[in-house]
Amino acid sequence: MMSPSILMYIFVYLSGFIMFFHFNEWFVLWVSMELVMYGFLVLSFNPSNLEVEESCYKYFFVQSLGSGALLGLMYLGVHDVVMEIVLFYKIGLGPFYYWYLSVMGGLGWVSCFVLMTIQKLIPMVMLREMDFFVGWIFIVVSLAIGLLGSLGQVILKDLLVYSSLHYMGWILLMEMMEGEFWMIYFFMYSFMLGCVVVSFSRSGCLMVGEVGNKHMIPVVLSLFVLGGVPPFLGFVLKWVGFVYLLGLDMMMVVVLAVFSVIMCYVYFRVGINMVLVSGGLGSAGVVDDTSYYVFSGVVSGWILYLWGSV
């Protein structure tokens, strides 16, 4: 049973989201972001683990700097390009990915998942209300860094970071379009990422080469999902994204297609190398939860595609 203090901090964490979606005043929105940040820090903090403790301190410093700048801009009535840059900084997109990579390395798997998904929700909703003066720059940079950072990467958490950067570029593109499809896309991405994090967590490994035969199949399938290898959910997300983004400039669509093909190749290559190094799938034990990853990665993806094509 959870202690009363933990329940209190969970309440503080959730109250931040409740305040954000029920008020429109800038100061209240800022307070809600702070409540979410402090709730996440307390729930993630582990004084017996130095890496977790260090990551929490880094996250606190980065977010406090961004929050102070954001509060100052609100006080001055500046709601344009500078505020956009600060929000991108708080999310860790574009050239600000360096703190994101550093913080993720010391957190537990559950905290990593929350940092890559739920913690980004409020800043992204705020960005939705802005004009994206410099949005294109951060989108292209995030897509490029996500692609280049994945090349030759063998650390599982770093793969998640660069994959998250790449997919956030897609989600920001959705935000620039009319409608709320970006929110559906974001939640489907979160579901996909949750399945991947579960498989990585159960493997008990931090490096690609450390994955044992028992967890080989789920981890390889998870890499295929992240890379957008057909017919997994990552591929279907990008396919639906292409259909939705056809109204954009054709050059941008071509760039997205090239980036997607290269990402698919990179993650497919990592997965195949894992199988070859371990001696092939024949040496991998058949685990009970393999069907879970296949189902979540393939069937749910095509359900999304069929739903979106109706």
Side-chain angles (χ1 to χ4, degrees), residues 182-284:
W182 76 271
M183 192 71 90
I184 300 174
Y185 196 92
F186 176 79
F187 284 118
M188 290 305 300
Y189 163 72
S190 301
F191 169 75
M192 176 190 77
L193 191 62
C195 297
V196 172
V197 169
V198 168
S199 70
F200 285 177
S201 176
R202 289 184 178 182
S203 71
C205 302
L206 297 177
M207 307 281 290
V208 170
E210 297 175 353
V211 180
N213 290 335
K214 180 180 179 181
H215 301 283
M216 179 66 63
I217 296 176
V219 171
V220 170
L221 291 179
S222 298
L223 291 173
F224 289 171
V225 170
L226 282 178
V229 177
F232 297 100
L233 179 55
F235 168 77
V236 179
L237 278 176
K238 291 185 177 181
W239 181 266
V240 174
F242 274 122
V243 175
Y244 189 74
L245 295 172
L246 285 178
L248 287 177
D249 181 74
M250 185 54 64
M251 181 59 68
M252 189 64 191
V253 175
V254 172
V255 171
L256 288 173
V258 173
F259 279 7
S260 298
V261 171
I262 299 176
M263 281 287 288
C264 179
Y265 166 75
V266 169
Y267 282 84
F268 185 77
R269 178 181 171 183
V270 173
I272 293 300
N273 285 340
M274 286 179 58
V275 174
L276 294 177
V277 170
S278 65
L281 290 177
S283 62

Side-chain angles (χ1 to χ4, degrees), residues 3-14:
S3 63
S5 60
I6 296 298
L7 290 175
M8 181 188 70
Y9 285 117
I10 292 176
F11 173 77
V12 170
Y13 185 72
L14 296 178

